[in-house]
mmCIF file with all atom_site columns, all heavy atoms in Angstrom:
data_model
loop_
_atom_site.group_PDB
_atom_site.id
_atom_site.type_symbol
_atom_site.label_atom_id
_atom_site.label_alt_id
_atom_site.label_comp_id
_atom_site.label_asym_id
_atom_site.label_entity_id
_atom_site.label_seq_id
_atom_site.pdbx_PDB_ins_code
_atom_site.Cartn_x
_atom_site.Cartn_y
_atom_site.Cartn_z
_atom_site.occupancy
_atom_site.B_iso_or_equiv
_atom_site.pdbx_formal_charge
_atom_site.auth_seq_id
_atom_site.auth_comp_id
_atom_site.auth_asym_id
_atom_site.auth_atom_id
_atom_site.pdbx_PDB_model_num
ATOM 1  N N   . GLY A 1 653 ? -15.657 -24.595 -6.903 1.00 83.00 ? 653 GLY A N   1
ATOM 2  C CA  . GLY A 1 653 ? -14.841 -25.404 -5.989 1.00 83.00 ? 653 GLY A CA  1
ATOM 3  C C   . GLY A 1 653 ? -15.611 -25.797 -4.745 1.00 83.00 ? 653 GLY A C   1
ATOM 4  O O   . GLY A 1 653 ? -15.060 -25.864 -3.647 1.00 83.00 ? 653 GLY A O   1
ATOM 5  N N   . MET A 1 654 ? -16.927 -26.002 -4.892 1.00 86.00 ? 654 MET A N   1
ATOM 6  C CA  . MET A 1 654 ? -17.746 -26.389 -3.724 1.00 86.00 ? 654 MET A CA  1
ATOM 7  C C   . MET A 1 654 ? -18.161 -27.832 -3.886 1.00 86.00 ? 654 MET A C   1
ATOM 8  O O   . MET A 1 654 ? -18.286 -28.342 -4.993 1.00 86.00 ? 654 MET A O   1
ATOM 9  C CB  . MET A 1 654 ? -19.019 -25.545 -3.668 1.00 86.00 ? 654 MET A CB  1
ATOM 10 C CG  . MET A 1 654 ? -18.809 -24.063 -3.598 1.00 86.00 ? 654 MET A CG  1
ATOM 11 S SD  . MET A 1 654 ? -20.388 -23.182 -3.859 1.00 86.00 ? 654 MET A SD  1
ATOM 12 C CE  . MET A 1 654 ? -20.994 -23.107 -2.197 1.00 86.00 ? 654 MET A CE  1
ATOM 13 N N   . LYS A 1 655 ? -18.431 -28.466 -2.710 1.00 88.00 ? 655 LYS A N   1
ATOM 14 C CA  . LYS A 1 655 ? -19.058 -29.775 -2.775 1.00 88.00 ? 655 LYS A CA  1
ATOM 15 C C   . LYS A 1 655 ? -20.510 -29.566 -3.163 1.00 88.00 ? 655 LYS A C   1
ATOM 16 O O   . LYS A 1 655 ? -21.100 -28.518 -2.876 1.00 88.00 ? 655 LYS A O   1
ATOM 17 C CB  . LYS A 1 655 ? -18.987 -30.461 -1.414 1.00 88.00 ? 655 LYS A CB  1
ATOM 18 C CG  . LYS A 1 655 ? -17.593 -30.885 -1.058 1.00 88.00 ? 655 LYS A CG  1
ATOM 19 C CD  . LYS A 1 655 ? -17.657 -31.759 0.191  1.00 88.00 ? 655 LYS A CD  1
ATOM 20 C CE  . LYS A 1 655 ? -16.280 -31.992 0.767  1.00 88.00 ? 655 LYS A CE  1
ATOM 21 N NZ  . LYS A 1 655 ? -16.197 -31.649 2.179  1.00 88.00 ? 655 LYS A NZ  1
ATOM 22 N N   . PHE A 1 656 ? -21.121 -30.607 -3.756 1.00 90.00 ? 656 PHE A N   1
ATOM 23 C CA  . PHE A 1 656 ? -22.516 -30.459 -4.207 1.00 90.00 ? 656 PHE A CA  1
ATOM 24 C C   . PHE A 1 656 ? -23.417 -30.089 -3.037 1.00 90.00 ? 656 PHE A C   1
ATOM 25 O O   . PHE A 1 656 ? -24.264 -29.196 -3.129 1.00 90.00 ? 656 PHE A O   1
ATOM 26 C CB  . PHE A 1 656 ? -22.969 -31.777 -4.836 1.00 90.00 ? 656 PHE A CB  1
ATOM 27 C CG  . PHE A 1 656 ? -24.284 -31.641 -5.571 1.00 90.00 ? 656 PHE A CG  1
ATOM 28 C CD1 . PHE A 1 656 ? -24.393 -30.761 -6.645 1.00 90.00 ? 656 PHE A CD1 1
ATOM 29 C CD2 . PHE A 1 656 ? -25.381 -32.387 -5.182 1.00 90.00 ? 656 PHE A CD2 1
ATOM 30 C CE1 . PHE A 1 656 ? -25.596 -30.631 -7.310 1.00 90.00 ? 656 PHE A CE1 1
ATOM 31 C CE2 . PHE A 1 656 ? -26.600 -32.240 -5.848 1.00 90.00 ? 656 PHE A CE2 1
ATOM 32 C CZ  . PHE A 1 656 ? -26.713 -31.366 -6.916 1.00 90.00 ? 656 PHE A CZ  1
ATOM 33 N N   . ILE A 1 657 ? -23.168 -30.719 -1.911 1.00 88.00 ? 657 ILE A N   1
ATOM 34 C CA  . ILE A 1 657 ? -24.027 -30.494 -0.746 1.00 88.00 ? 657 ILE A CA  1
ATOM 35 C C   . ILE A 1 657 ? -23.856 -29.059 -0.215 1.00 88.00 ? 657 ILE A C   1
ATOM 36 O O   . ILE A 1 657 ? -24.800 -28.424 0.234  1.00 88.00 ? 657 ILE A O   1
ATOM 37 C CB  . ILE A 1 657 ? -23.752 -31.553 0.359  1.00 88.00 ? 657 ILE A CB  1
ATOM 38 C CG1 . ILE A 1 657 ? -24.684 -31.378 1.546  1.00 88.00 ? 657 ILE A CG1 1
ATOM 39 C CG2 . ILE A 1 657 ? -22.328 -31.520 0.820  1.00 88.00 ? 657 ILE A CG2 1
ATOM 40 C CD1 . ILE A 1 657 ? -26.080 -31.828 1.234  1.00 88.00 ? 657 ILE A CD1 1
ATOM 41 N N   . GLU A 1 658 ? -22.627 -28.560 -0.344 1.00 88.00 ? 658 GLU A N   1
ATOM 42 C CA  . GLU A 1 658 ? -22.401 -27.165 0.080  1.00 88.00 ? 658 GLU A CA  1
ATOM 43 C C   . GLU A 1 658 ? -23.179 -26.210 -0.824 1.00 88.00 ? 658 GLU A C   1
ATOM 44 O O   . GLU A 1 658 ? -23.745 -25.207 -0.357 1.00 88.00 ? 658 GLU A O   1
ATOM 45 C CB  . GLU A 1 658 ? -20.914 -26.813 -0.028 1.00 88.00 ? 658 GLU A CB  1
ATOM 46 C CG  . GLU A 1 658 ? -20.074 -27.391 1.082  1.00 88.00 ? 658 GLU A CG  1
ATOM 47 C CD  . GLU A 1 658 ? -18.574 -27.233 0.838  1.00 88.00 ? 658 GLU A CD  1
ATOM 48 O OE1 . GLU A 1 658 ? -18.160 -26.823 -0.281 1.00 88.00 ? 658 GLU A OE1 1
ATOM 49 O OE2 . GLU A 1 658 ? -17.804 -27.541 1.752  1.00 88.00 ? 658 GLU A OE2 1
ATOM 50 N N   . LEU A 1 659 ? -23.206 -26.577 -2.108 1.00 90.00 ? 659 LEU A N   1
ATOM 51 C CA  . LEU A 1 659 ? -23.943 -25.728 -3.037 1.00 90.00 ? 659 LEU A CA  1
ATOM 52 C C   . LEU A 1 659 ? -25.434 -25.711 -2.662 1.00 90.00 ? 659 LEU A C   1
ATOM 53 O O   . LEU A 1 659 ? -26.063 -24.644 -2.653 1.00 90.00 ? 659 LEU A O   1
ATOM 54 C CB  . LEU A 1 659 ? -23.761 -26.229 -4.456 1.00 90.00 ? 659 LEU A CB  1
ATOM 55 C CG  . LEU A 1 659 ? -24.575 -25.452 -5.504 1.00 90.00 ? 659 LEU A CG  1
ATOM 56 C CD1 . LEU A 1 659 ? -24.047 -24.048 -5.691 1.00 90.00 ? 659 LEU A CD1 1
ATOM 57 C CD2 . LEU A 1 659 ? -24.619 -26.169 -6.849 1.00 90.00 ? 659 LEU A CD2 1
ATOM 58 N N   . ILE A 1 660 ? -25.957 -26.892 -2.353 1.00 91.00 ? 660 ILE A N   1
ATOM 59 C CA  . ILE A 1 660 ? -27.399 -26.936 -2.020 1.00 91.00 ? 660 ILE A CA  1
ATOM 60 C C   . ILE A 1 660 ? -27.684 -26.121 -0.753 1.00 91.00 ? 660 ILE A C   1
ATOM 61 O O   . ILE A 1 660 ? -28.662 -25.376 -0.665 1.00 91.00 ? 660 ILE A O   1
ATOM 62 C CB  . ILE A 1 660 ? -27.854 -28.404 -1.821 1.00 91.00 ? 660 ILE A CB  1
ATOM 63 C CG1 . ILE A 1 660 ? -27.637 -29.152 -3.147 1.00 91.00 ? 660 ILE A CG1 1
ATOM 64 C CG2 . ILE A 1 660 ? -29.334 -28.451 -1.442 1.00 91.00 ? 660 ILE A CG2 1
ATOM 65 C CD1 . ILE A 1 660 ? -28.016 -30.615 -3.066 1.00 91.00 ? 660 ILE A CD1 1
#
Side-chain angles (χ1 to χ4, degrees):
M654 303 169 87
K655 289 190 192 127
F656 192 60
I657 183 74
E658 285 170 351
L659 176 70
I660 299 178

